[in-house]
PDB file of all heavy atoms in Angstrom:
ATOM      1  N   SER A  20      15.456   5.658   9.686  1.00 98.00           N
ATOM      2  CA  SER A  20      16.835   5.623   9.222  1.00 98.00           C
ATOM      3  C   SER A  20      17.360   7.046   8.941  1.00 98.00           C
ATOM      4  O   SER A  20      16.683   7.904   8.302  1.00 98.00           O
ATOM      5  CB  SER A  20      16.854   4.818   7.987  1.00 98.00           C
ATOM      6  OG  SER A  20      18.053   5.167   7.173  1.00 98.00           O
ATOM      7  N   PHE A  22      20.027   7.477   7.019  1.00 95.00           N
ATOM      8  CA  PHE A  22      20.484   7.560   5.666  1.00 95.00           C
ATOM      9  C   PHE A  22      19.518   8.234   4.837  1.00 95.00           C
ATOM     10  O   PHE A  22      18.365   8.122   4.979  1.00 95.00           O
ATOM     11  CB  PHE A  22      20.637   6.051   5.164  1.00 95.00           C
ATOM     12  CG  PHE A  22      21.816   5.816   4.202  1.00 95.00           C
ATOM     13  CD1 PHE A  22      22.951   5.284   4.560  1.00 95.00           C
ATOM     14  CD2 PHE A  22      21.480   6.088   2.876  1.00 95.00           C
ATOM     15  CE1 PHE A  22      23.989   5.122   3.678  1.00 95.00           C
ATOM     16  CE2 PHE A  22      22.517   5.875   1.906  1.00 95.00           C
ATOM     17  CZ  PHE A  22      23.743   5.435   2.342  1.00 95.00           C
ATOM     18  N   ASN A  23      20.012   9.077   3.959  1.00 95.00           N
ATOM     19  CA  ASN A  23      19.009   9.995   3.129  1.00 95.00           C
ATOM     20  C   ASN A  23      18.229  10.789   4.134  1.00 95.00           C
ATOM     21  O   ASN A  23      16.995  10.762   4.063  1.00 95.00           O
ATOM     22  CB  ASN A  23      18.193   9.177   2.263  1.00 95.00           C
ATOM     23  CG  ASN A  23      18.931   8.381   1.173  1.00 95.00           C
ATOM     24  OD1 ASN A  23      19.727   8.930   0.524  1.00 95.00           O
ATOM     25  ND2 ASN A  23      18.715   7.177   1.035  1.00 95.00           N
ATOM     26  N   PRO A  54      21.270   4.190  11.998  1.00 98.00           N
ATOM     27  CA  PRO A  54      22.131   4.680  10.903  1.00 98.00           C
ATOM     28  C   PRO A  54      21.573   4.528   9.501  1.00 98.00           C
ATOM     29  O   PRO A  54      21.660   5.394   8.670  1.00 98.00           O
ATOM     30  CB  PRO A  54      23.451   3.823  11.117  1.00 98.00           C
ATOM     31  CG  PRO A  54      23.302   3.226  12.467  1.00 98.00           C
ATOM     32  CD  PRO A  54      21.873   3.150  12.784  1.00 98.00           C
ATOM     33  N   GLY A  55      20.990   3.311   9.307  1.00 97.00           N
ATOM     34  CA  GLY A  55      20.411   3.064   7.911  1.00 97.00           C
ATOM     35  C   GLY A  55      19.182   2.236   8.082  1.00 97.00           C
ATOM     36  O   GLY A  55      18.846   1.717   9.230  1.00 97.00           O
ATOM     37  N   SER A  56      18.513   1.897   6.971  1.00 97.00           N
ATOM     38  CA  SER A  56      17.265   1.173   6.999  1.00 97.00           C
ATOM     39  C   SER A  56      17.517  -0.358   7.407  1.00 97.00           C
ATOM     40  O   SER A  56      16.729  -0.924   8.070  1.00 97.00           O
ATOM     41  CB  SER A  56      16.551   1.180   5.626  1.00 97.00           C
ATOM     42  OG  SER A  56      16.245   2.414   5.323  1.00 97.00           O
ATOM     43  N   PHE A  57      18.781  -0.824   7.087  1.00 96.00           N
ATOM     44  CA  PHE A  57      19.082  -2.187   7.432  1.00 96.00           C
ATOM     45  C   PHE A  57      18.973  -2.488   8.948  1.00 96.00           C
ATOM     46  O   PHE A  57      18.658  -3.531   9.375  1.00 96.00           O
ATOM     47  CB  PHE A  57      20.553  -2.475   6.981  1.00 96.00           C
ATOM     48  CG  PHE A  57      20.968  -3.951   7.005  1.00 96.00           C
ATOM     49  CD1 PHE A  57      20.607  -4.890   6.022  1.00 96.00           C
ATOM     50  CD2 PHE A  57      21.732  -4.330   8.109  1.00 96.00           C
ATOM     51  CE1 PHE A  57      21.032  -6.138   6.106  1.00 96.00           C
ATOM     52  CE2 PHE A  57      22.158  -5.697   8.097  1.00 96.00           C
ATOM     53  CZ  PHE A  57      21.718  -6.524   7.204  1.00 96.00           C
ATOM     54  N   GLU A  58      19.313  -1.388   9.780  1.00 97.00           N
ATOM     55  CA  GLU A  58      19.277  -1.480  11.195  1.00 97.00           C
ATOM     56  C   GLU A  58      17.876  -1.443  11.805  1.00 97.00           C
ATOM     57  O   GLU A  58      17.721  -1.647  13.016  1.00 97.00           O
ATOM     58  CB  GLU A  58      20.222  -0.547  11.821  1.00 97.00           C
ATOM     59  CG  GLU A  58      21.757  -0.835  11.696  1.00 97.00           C
ATOM     60  CD  GLU A  58      22.249  -0.472  10.321  1.00 97.00           C
ATOM     61  OE1 GLU A  58      21.725   0.377   9.647  1.00 97.00           O
ATOM     62  OE2 GLU A  58      23.209  -1.200   9.882  1.00 97.00           O
ATOM     63  N   ALA A  80      14.494   5.669   3.433  1.00 96.00           N
ATOM     64  CA  ALA A  80      14.434   5.617   2.031  1.00 96.00           C
ATOM     65  C   ALA A  80      15.600   4.877   1.537  1.00 96.00           C
ATOM     66  O   ALA A  80      16.698   5.104   1.984  1.00 96.00           O
ATOM     67  CB  ALA A  80      14.590   7.123   1.470  1.00 96.00           C
ATOM     68  N   VAL A  81      15.366   3.863   0.765  1.00 95.00           N
ATOM     69  CA  VAL A  81      16.414   3.050   0.102  1.00 95.00           C
ATOM     70  C   VAL A  81      16.431   3.359  -1.360  1.00 95.00           C
ATOM     71  O   VAL A  81      15.400   3.145  -2.096  1.00 95.00           O
ATOM     72  CB  VAL A  81      16.243   1.522   0.330  1.00 95.00           C
ATOM     73  CG1 VAL A  81      17.510   0.823  -0.155  1.00 95.00           C
ATOM     74  CG2 VAL A  81      15.963   1.299   1.806  1.00 95.00           C
ATOM     75  N   ILE A  82      17.558   3.935  -1.896  1.00 94.00           N
ATOM     76  CA  ILE A  82      17.573   4.365  -3.273  1.00 94.00           C
ATOM     77  C   ILE A  82      18.672   3.694  -4.015  1.00 94.00           C
ATOM     78  O   ILE A  82      19.803   3.523  -3.642  1.00 94.00           O
ATOM     79  CB  ILE A  82      17.976   5.956  -3.237  1.00 94.00           C
ATOM     80  CG1 ILE A  82      16.970   6.720  -2.407  1.00 94.00           C
ATOM     81  CG2 ILE A  82      17.957   6.443  -4.566  1.00 94.00           C
ATOM     82  CD1 ILE A  82      17.215   8.143  -2.122  1.00 94.00           C
ATOM     83  N   GLU A  85      22.181   4.655  -5.246  1.00 64.00           N
ATOM     84  CA  GLU A  85      23.213   5.055  -4.339  1.00 64.00           C
ATOM     85  C   GLU A  85      23.928   3.784  -3.808  1.00 64.00           C
ATOM     86  O   GLU A  85      24.895   3.880  -3.063  1.00 64.00           O
ATOM     87  CB  GLU A  85      22.613   5.810  -3.163  1.00 64.00           C
ATOM     88  CG  GLU A  85      22.006   7.083  -3.520  1.00 64.00           C
ATOM     89  CD  GLU A  85      21.757   7.993  -2.343  1.00 64.00           C
ATOM     90  OE1 GLU A  85      21.846   7.641  -1.169  1.00 64.00           O
ATOM     91  OE2 GLU A  85      21.380   9.156  -2.735  1.00 64.00           O
ATOM     92  N   THR A  86      23.459   2.642  -4.160  1.00 67.00           N
ATOM     93  CA  THR A  86      24.127   1.461  -3.603  1.00 67.00           C
ATOM     94  C   THR A  86      24.069   0.241  -4.489  1.00 67.00           C
ATOM     95  O   THR A  86      22.931  -0.054  -5.050  1.00 67.00           O
ATOM     96  CB  THR A  86      23.533   1.133  -2.216  1.00 67.00           C
ATOM     97  OG1 THR A  86      24.023  -0.191  -1.826  1.00 67.00           O
ATOM     98  CG2 THR A  86      21.992   0.957  -2.297  1.00 67.00           C
ATOM     99  N   HIS A  88      24.161  -2.582  -3.247  1.00 84.00           N
ATOM    100  CA  HIS A  88      23.480  -3.539  -2.415  1.00 84.00           C
ATOM    101  C   HIS A  88      21.975  -3.156  -2.127  1.00 84.00           C
ATOM    102  O   HIS A  88      21.439  -3.560  -1.212  1.00 84.00           O
ATOM    103  CB  HIS A  88      24.246  -3.977  -1.191  1.00 84.00           C
ATOM    104  CG  HIS A  88      24.637  -2.929  -0.248  1.00 84.00           C
ATOM    105  ND1 HIS A  88      25.678  -1.968  -0.479  1.00 84.00           N
ATOM    106  CD2 HIS A  88      24.034  -2.528   0.815  1.00 84.00           C
ATOM    107  CE1 HIS A  88      25.724  -1.219   0.584  1.00 84.00           C
ATOM    108  NE2 HIS A  88      24.744  -1.412   1.415  1.00 84.00           N
ATOM    109  N   VAL A  92      19.546  -4.490   1.071  1.00 94.00           N
ATOM    110  CA  VAL A  92      19.010  -3.591   2.098  1.00 94.00           C
ATOM    111  C   VAL A  92      17.461  -3.552   2.020  1.00 94.00           C
ATOM    112  O   VAL A  92      16.867  -3.720   3.067  1.00 94.00           O
ATOM    113  CB  VAL A  92      19.579  -2.129   1.951  1.00 94.00           C
ATOM    114  CG1 VAL A  92      18.942  -1.235   3.018  1.00 94.00           C
ATOM    115  CG2 VAL A  92      21.103  -2.096   2.190  1.00 94.00           C
TER     116      VAL A  92
HETATM  117  N1  LIG B 201      20.488   2.684   3.994  1.00 66.38           N
HETATM  118  C1  LIG B 201      19.404   3.285   3.711  1.00 66.38           C
HETATM  119  O1  LIG B 201      18.455   3.531   4.577  1.00 66.38           O
HETATM  120  N2  LIG B 201      19.072   3.786   2.500  1.00 66.38           N
HETATM  121  C2  LIG B 201      20.024   3.547   1.456  1.00 66.38           C
HETATM  122  O2  LIG B 201      19.739   4.005   0.336  1.00 66.38           O
HETATM  123  C3  LIG B 201      21.201   2.952   1.787  1.00 66.38           C
HETATM  124  N3  LIG B 201      22.259   2.732   0.760  1.00 66.38           N
HETATM  125  O3  LIG B 201      22.096   3.330  -0.310  1.00 66.38           O
HETATM  126  O4  LIG B 201      23.216   2.078   0.896  1.00 66.38           O
HETATM  127  C4  LIG B 201      21.490   2.443   3.087  1.00 66.38           C
HETATM  128  N4  LIG B 201      22.527   1.803   3.302  1.00 66.38           N
HETATM  129  C5  LIG B 201      23.032   1.645   4.719  1.00 66.38           C
HETATM  130  C6  LIG B 201      22.511   0.407   5.303  1.00 66.38           C
HETATM  131  O5  LIG B 201      21.133   0.578   5.647  1.00 66.38           O
HETATM  132  C7  LIG B 201      23.225   0.070   6.550  1.00 66.38           C
HETATM  133  O6  LIG B 201      23.167   1.104   7.480  1.00 66.38           O
HETATM  134  C8  LIG B 201      24.711  -0.234   6.370  1.00 66.38           C
HETATM  135  O7  LIG B 201      24.889  -1.269   5.393  1.00 66.38           O
HETATM  136  C9  LIG B 201      25.475  -0.630   7.677  1.00 66.38           C
HETATM  137  O8  LIG B 201      24.911  -1.841   8.211  1.00 66.38           O
END
Side-chain angles (χ1 to χ4, degrees):
S20 159
F22 209 98
N23 298 310
S56 295
F57 189 81
E58 285 76 28
V81 189
I82 302 173
E85 298 196 353
T86 173
H88 58 276
V92 176

